[in-house]
Amino acid sequence: MRSIFIKEINLFFSSVVGYVALIVFLAACGLFLWIIPQYSILEYGYASMERFFQIAPWLLLLLVPAITMRSFADEFRTGTIEWLSTKPVTDISIIMGKYLATLTLILFALLPTLIYVYTIGNLSLIENNLDTGAIIGSYIGLLFLAATFAAVGIFCSSLTGNQVVGFLVSLVGCYLLYTGFEQLSKLPKFAEGIDYYLSMIGMEFHYNSISRGVIDSRDVVYFLSTILLFISLTRFSLNSRTKDAGRQ
């Protein structure tokens, strides 16, 4: 698992696409947070990271599929998945090696955004005016969200040998799980009480809950269960495809 983890990190940083994905993510964060008037903190007038945490999930919707799209798609395209399956390593070790590498890359992308906290704190007229609890909660929520996106992305990559298809399927899957149920709950036909339960199925509901600064065990269980579900689905998909390849 350690070897696969290191291999994935090296592959990402040996490709121009990896650097472009990180640069675009950080540039987009900066543009939305400081330049574009509709979202700019300077226009908002309050020393708050709220605008960033509203924008970040949508930017992660693009970043995470871009990171995960090659996880298994490249292995199937080049045929190295058969070579991996002959080695003394289990399917779950392969999956977890790739998954942990993806989480490390996401963490690497989010770390530079901590400078926004420092900058906004210095721009505030009142010293120590930042809501530290809400910021910590929002970052924790963002990490859970990114970790779930990563699990979905790796599963989608295991379904195809084409990186572009893997990216698109992952993008749609993450979008539907994040805000699809939330939007569905707003339809008039579901306004009789079921709307609340529909929104609870989506990740946006639980992300917003954690972002308030209170870590509810129900939200943590939701994210961990979803991650476990997609890791299990990836294992099933990988097992099925390697068996089919073996028969051929």
Side-chain angles (χ1 to χ4, degrees):
M1 188 169 74
R2 181 184 173 187
S3 299
I4 292 168
F5 173 85
I6 295 170
K7 173 198 163 192
E8 289 296 311
I9 297 291
N10 290 335
L11 276 175
F12 185 83
F13 285 111
S14 64
S15 166
V16 177
V17 177
Y19 289 100
V20 169
L22 291 178
I23 291 168
V24 168
F25 173 76
L26 293 172
C29 284
L31 283 171
F32 276 104
L33 214 58
W34 303 103
I35 306 298
I36 299 175
Q38 186 180 352
Y39 301 98
S40 173
I41 287 175
L42 300 176
E43 297 290 332
Y44 189 46
Y46 295 95
S48 170
M49 286 284 288
E50 184 181 346
R51 291 296 178 94
F52 170 73
F53 293 116
Q54 289 173 353
I55 298 162
W58 299 101
L59 297 178
L60 285 173
L61 269 173
L62 296 172
L63 176 67
V64 177
I67 293 174
T68 59
M69 65 181 182
R70 66 183 299 170
S71 295
F72 284 106
D74 247 16
E75 305 283 6
F76 287 117
R77 183 180 60 82
T78 58
T80 52
I81 192 67
E82 284 82 9
W83 176 81
L84 268 177
S85 62
T86 63
K87 297 296 178 182
V89 58
T90 61
D91 287 348
I92 196 66
S93 294
I94 297 171
I95 294 165
M96 290 307 298
K98 291 178 178 290
Y99 179 69
L100 292 175
T102 301
L103 289 186
T104 302
L105 293 169
I106 293 168
L107 187 62
F108 184 81
L110 288 175
L111 277 175
T113 65
L114 291 173
I115 197 171
Y116 299 149
V117 181
Y118 175 78
T119 305
I120 293 169
N122 281 303
L123 287 174
S124 175
L125 290 175
I126 304 172
E127 193 175 350
N128 299 322
N129 193 39
L130 290 178
D131 188 347
T132 309
I135 290 174
I136 292 172
S138 294
Y139 265 111
I140 292 172
L142 207 57
L143 287 172
F144 273 121
L145 191 64
T148 310
F149 284 166
V152 175
I154 285 178
F155 167 66
C156 293
S157 180
S158 73
L159 300 175
T160 178
N162 187 301
Q163 289 187 37
V164 177
V165 173
F167 173 80
L168 293 174
V169 174
S170 176
L171 180 64
V172 172
C174 289
Y175 173 81
L176 291 176
L177 283 171
Y178 176 64
T179 195
F181 290 100
E182 185 70 28
Q183 299 305 318
L184 192 63
S185 70
K186 293 177 182 177
L187 295 176
K189 65 172 67 177
F190 298 121
E192 300 297 328
I194 196 175
D195 54 336
Y196 176 75
Y197 298 102
L198 270 175
S199 64
M200 281 186 70
I201 301 173
M203 288 188 271
E204 188 175 7
F205 176 92
H206 298 278
Y207 169 69
N208 290 335
S209 176
I210 292 179
S211 294
R212 297 187 185 101
V214 179
I215 311 300
D216 193 320
S217 59
R218 291 172 295 183
D219 300 319
V220 175
V221 168
Y222 169 84
F223 281 116
L224 293 179
S225 300
T226 308
I227 291 167
L228 183 61
L229 171 64
F230 280 97
I231 293 292
S232 301
L233 289 173
T234 305
R235 186 181 183 186
F236 175 78
S237 172
L238 187 61
N239 191 39
S240 300
R241 295 197 65 174
T242 51
K243 277 186 178 180
D244 290 342
R247 291 194 192 99
Q248 293 172 2

